[in-house]
Amino acid sequence: MLSMMINRKINIYLLFITLGLFFDAFCQKNKGDLLVHKYKNQEEFYKPKDLTKDLSYIDGKVKNIIVMIGDGMGLSQIFSAMMANGGDLNLNKINVIGFSKTSSIDDIITDSAAGATAISTGEKTYNGAIGVDKDKKSLKTILEILEDRGFYTGLVSTSRITHATPASFIAHVESRKMYEDIALDFLDVDVDIVIGGGEDNFNQRKDKRDLLKEFENKNYNIVRNIKDLKTAKNDKKILALLGEKDLPRASYRDYSLSDLLNKSLEFLSEGDKGFFLMVEGSQIDWGGHANDLSYVIEDMLDFDRAIGEAMEFVAKNEETILIVTADHETGGLVIKDGSYEKGLVEGVFTSAKHTPVMVPVFAFGKSAYRFGGVYENTEIFKRLIKIIDM
């Protein structure tokens, strides 16, 4: 009897080991595999903006801030998009480049919540934290600071707007998974234009509250599709929830991130107030998690097109600075081969998770030179506040 029991335990143990190995192999099925992305013809390449004016080495106070975060965007993600577009991107036109160290307070590898909170508040925190410090106390974000000073403010994301990165600029909760609590925090800040997905966090809630009605009572225009967003008047604040949950990836949408950016800039630049706008290209990260090279490249190119639109705005509005960075790198992407002429990229993912490598910080516009060098991600907040306060 004792022998049978021991044998049964050994068999169960071996079964769990086998299942564990199978699960690990399943989760990492693309790890190390050579993946190829290729455009059909060169007509699909787009020409980056041709900008002759660059105030990046001129010092001075700025009035407007545009922060663009490519979630999961490391150097390999940028280079893969560059190869896929025939060797050129709008990012190539930016001369001031720094590097941000992305670790969270409790791990060398950050998640989007801690990474974005560091950028938005200037303080490191633990993974999963949204706008709170290591002791779960609320931190004032740059959006809230400038809102209090009378600036116009905006948030744009190609994920649900309650997701970690956009949430970290407006909400204060101990866990990024608290989507409904994050949606409530949007009511406490009079952000002027909000665009993203996640309508279900506002009107399909456990507490039965319909936050959309509450936003209407606060003089918001509720928008649910791109056509209505493009034609929305600027006489009210705008809450545009373009999907019940997350938005589709770039190649599945009938609109681009550029469309969302341009509407936001049109809205925020009216009048004499300065503004703060955060724009996230969310799904570069998701392509990395999925080890899908084409997914990464398509959303990276969508992000770069929007960067070009932002650069054009900065060139015409000289009191504006544009910061383009990432919260972390995703996938450990390695580019092994390719062709500029053919738009061919061959790459290998070494992970399905985030990695601890530094990420670039591109700066364009007045006082941009201040963002060169190697520094902690918290420095982005501190340097932006400094040039606003000059």
Side-chain angles (χ1 to χ4, degrees):
M1 177 69 73
L2 179 61
S3 176
M4 290 177 63
M5 290 178 63
I6 292 173
N7 286 335
R8 181 180 295 176
K9 287 183 178 180
I10 291 172
N11 288 336
I12 292 172
Y13 179 68
L14 290 173
L15 175 63
F16 275 110
I17 290 176
T18 303
L19 288 173
L21 290 172
F22 174 79
F23 181 74
D24 184 65
F26 176 79
C27 291
Q28 299 292 329
K29 63 179 181 177
N30 286 328
K31 185 177 177 181
D33 291 349
L34 183 66
L35 302 172
V36 179
H37 174 95
K38 185 179 184 303
Y39 275 152
K40 295 177 183 178
N41 54 65
Q42 292 189 16
E43 292 176 2
E44 295 186 55
F45 296 167
Y46 67 88
K47 188 178 184 299
K49 298 287 184 180
D50 186 16
L51 302 172
T52 56
K53 184 183 292 184
D54 185 359
L55 304 177
S56 297
Y57 295 97
I58 296 176
D59 205 17
K61 179 183 177 70
V62 301
K63 179 180 176 183
N64 309 312
I65 295 174
I66 305 169
V67 174
M68 299 185 70
I69 298 177
D71 200 316
M73 181 190 74
L75 288 176
S76 291
Q77 284 77 6
I78 295 169
F79 189 65
S80 67
M82 190 185 304
M83 294 188 78
N85 196 53
D88 209 1
L89 293 176
N90 287 302
L91 276 174
N92 292 19
K93 311 293 185 183
I94 298 181
N95 295 320
V96 178
I97 306 170
F99 286 93
S100 164
K101 295 185 281 185
T102 64
S103 61
S104 65
I105 203 167
D106 60 349
D107 201 320
I108 188 67
I109 299 177
T110 192
D111 77 330
S112 293
T117 295
I119 295 170
S120 72
T121 69
E123 287 198 34
K124 297 270 189 181
T125 190
Y126 61 90
N127 285 340
I130 298 288
V132 297
D133 66 14
K134 61 183 178 61
D135 300 315
K136 302 179 181 180
K137 294 181 180 178
S138 293
L139 297 166
K140 202 85 167 177
T141 73
I142 188 169
L143 183 148
E144 292 172 311
I145 291 168
L146 297 182
E147 178 77 33
D148 288 345
R149 295 186 187 183
F151 284 63
Y152 289 127
T153 54
L155 284 176
V156 177
S157 177
T158 54
S159 68
R160 60 175 64 233
I161 200 64
T162 51
H163 212 262
T165 300
S168 295
F169 284 81
I170 198 169
H172 308 279
V173 296
E174 64 184 56
S175 170
R176 60 183 290 172
K177 297 178 181 179
M178 300 167 66
Y179 294 119
E180 294 189 1
D181 292 303
I182 290 168
L184 277 175
D185 280 357
F186 275 75
L187 282 169
D188 295 332
V189 183
D190 290 327
V191 59
D192 296 281
I193 184 165
V194 178
I195 307 174
E199 182 179 349
D200 59 341
N201 296 144
F202 292 81
N203 65 358
Q204 299 175 35
R205 300 168 52 83
K206 292 177 183 177
D207 61 11
K208 306 301 181 184
R209 286 175 66 174
D210 185 349
L211 300 191
L212 298 185
K213 289 184 178 178
E214 296 183 42
F215 274 99
E216 285 180 337
N217 292 336
K218 291 189 67 176
N219 200 38
Y220 277 85
N221 182 6
I222 309 300
V223 175
R224 290 185 171 88
N225 60 69
I226 188 64
K227 181 181 178 181
D228 289 346
L229 176 61
K230 287 181 176 180
T231 58
K233 295 180 179 179
N234 296 347
D235 57 342
K236 291 184 178 182
K237 296 176 181 180
I238 295 175
L239 175 60
L241 298 172
L242 305 181
E244 184 177 320
K245 299 185 185 298
D246 293 308
L247 302 184
R249 58 192 277 185
S251 57
Y252 296 171
R253 285 188 253 117
D254 61 354
Y255 56 89
S256 67
L257 183 57
S258 297
D259 294 326
L260 309 185
L261 172 82
N262 285 333
K263 178 61 181 182
S264 301
L265 291 175
E266 171 202 315
F267 183 90
L268 294 171
S269 59
E270 284 199 349
D272 296 328
K273 289 185 179 182
F275 68 78
F276 174 85
L277 173 65
M278 194 290 292
V279 178
E280 183 197 23
S282 316
Q283 299 189 40
I284 303 165
D285 173 66
W286 300 357
H289 282 301
N291 285 182
D292 185 332
L293 184 59
S294 291
Y295 193 170
V296 168
I297 290 172
E298 289 164 6
D299 276 80
M300 185 66 228
L301 291 173
D302 182 54
F303 187 56
D304 185 69
R305 286 186 178 96
I307 290 167
E309 297 297 323
M311 291 173 67
E312 191 167 62
F313 179 90
V314 173
K316 294 176 181 176
N317 297 269
E318 297 183 3
E319 293 180 292
T320 308
I321 188 169
L322 167 66
I323 302 296
V324 182
T325 189
D327 45 1
H328 53 73
E329 191 275 347
T330 303
L333 177 60
V334 177
I335 306 303
K336 299 195 72 173
D337 204 350
S339 166
Y340 291 130
E341 292 74 21
K342 297 177 181 178
L344 176 68
V345 187
E346 295 182 1
V348 172
F349 289 94
T350 61
S351 171
K353 299 179 180 179
H354 301 170
T355 68
V357 298
M358 294 188 298
V359 296
V361 182
F362 296 84
F364 183 77
K366 187 180 285 187
S367 292
Y369 76 94
R370 293 172 175 267
F371 290 84
V374 177
Y375 41 81
E376 296 291 341
N377 50 8
T378 51
E379 276 294 310
I380 297 172
F381 167 91
K382 294 171 184 177
R383 297 182 188 195
L384 285 174
I385 291 294
K386 187 170 184 177
I387 61 176
I388 281 285
D389 287 341
M390 288 178 70

